[in-house]
Amino acid sequence: MPITADQAAVAFGTAELVHDATAVQAAVARMANAIVQDTKGSDPILMCVMNGGLVLTAMLMPLLQFPLRVDYLHATRYRERTFGTDLQWRKHHELPLAGQTVIIVDDILDEGHTLHAIAQYCREQGAARVLTAILVEKQRTRDLELKADYLGLEVPDRYVFGCGMDYKGYWRNAAGIYAAAE
């Protein structure tokens, strides 16, 4: 159910700061260093998962000081809600993936269904290597055994937003990571 900007402002005012902008920037720098070490010289494709992966992709790109290409796809389960349902593919990538190293960049590893499906899709497209760079992972039990190759931060098993993650369509632009009031 859509909300107004005023309702989003109220939600922000009652949210708890989980990680501030400094912690996020430090985590992204650590991720970038690991990506550089692991993939330099492999001509990787950064595959941004829209819309959540946009902020992390933008933060990572200037820190990856080697030639790379960027593409995006849009697959979502949340659609501006606080719960996930079926996976909906809205846009597929443009660059050919066959034989390539693909680094999937997304905002959160929650239940893992979206990330699992996207990684499987990239493999089906012939990617030689599929890696995952995720800004935050929820501390929770999952049905899927899935770990990010590059992980920024952990967050509690609550609804979080900021740094690309939204609260009912708002606050992807928040510099830190916040947990919505319960």
Side-chain angles (χ1 to χ4, degrees):
M1 180 169 197
I3 64 171
T4 66
D6 289 340
Q7 290 169 315
V10 169
F12 184 82
T14 61
E16 175 188 345
L17 177 65
V18 178
H19 295 289
D20 65 16
T22 301
V24 171
Q25 291 167 354
V28 172
R30 284 190 306 274
M31 292 172 69
N33 287 336
I35 291 169
V36 167
Q37 294 303 311
D38 292 348
T39 66
K40 192 172 184 176
S42 68
D43 190 20
I45 296 171
L46 287 186
M47 184 65 68
C48 177
V49 179
M50 297 298 273
N51 286 325
L54 182 63
V55 172
L56 178 57
T57 301
M59 292 175 78
L60 280 172
M61 286 183 357
L63 302 177
L64 302 176
Q65 295 295 307
F66 56 84
L68 59 82
R69 292 167 292 155
V70 179
D71 202 346
Y72 72 97
L73 54 77
H74 193 167
T76 181
R77 290 182 62 235
Y78 289 85
R79 299 186 281 283
E80 297 185 0
R81 295 180 303 227
T82 57
F83 59 92
T85 58
D86 60 304
L87 184 64
Q88 182 180 80
W89 288 86
R90 292 187 175 171
K91 195 235 180 248
H92 289 273
H93 61 92
E94 300 280 330
L95 296 173
L97 303 184
Q100 301 297 313
T101 296
V102 176
I103 305 169
I104 300 167
V105 183
D106 204 0
D107 54 359
I108 188 166
L109 177 55
D110 189 346
E111 294 175 2
H113 299 288
T114 303
L115 184 61
H116 175 76
I118 292 169
Q120 183 62 32
Y121 171 80
C122 290
R123 287 184 196 94
E124 289 169 1
Q125 298 303 303
R129 187 175 181 201
V130 177
L131 302 167
T132 55
I134 308 298
L135 181 58
V136 299
E137 178 179 3
K138 276 192 184 178
Q139 299 168 334
R140 68 178 302 169
T141 305
R142 288 181 187 79
D143 295 336
L144 300 170
E145 299 248 351
L146 189 62
K147 292 283 181 195
D149 295 293
Y150 310 103
L151 176 64
L153 300 161
E154 290 187 343
V155 294
D157 189 10
R158 294 176 56 196
Y159 193 87
V160 293
F161 63 90
C163 295
M165 297 170 284
D166 73 293
Y167 178 79
K168 298 183 180 182
Y170 289 92
W171 292 117
R172 289 184 192 277
N173 56 313
I177 299 171
Y178 296 82
E182 297 191 32

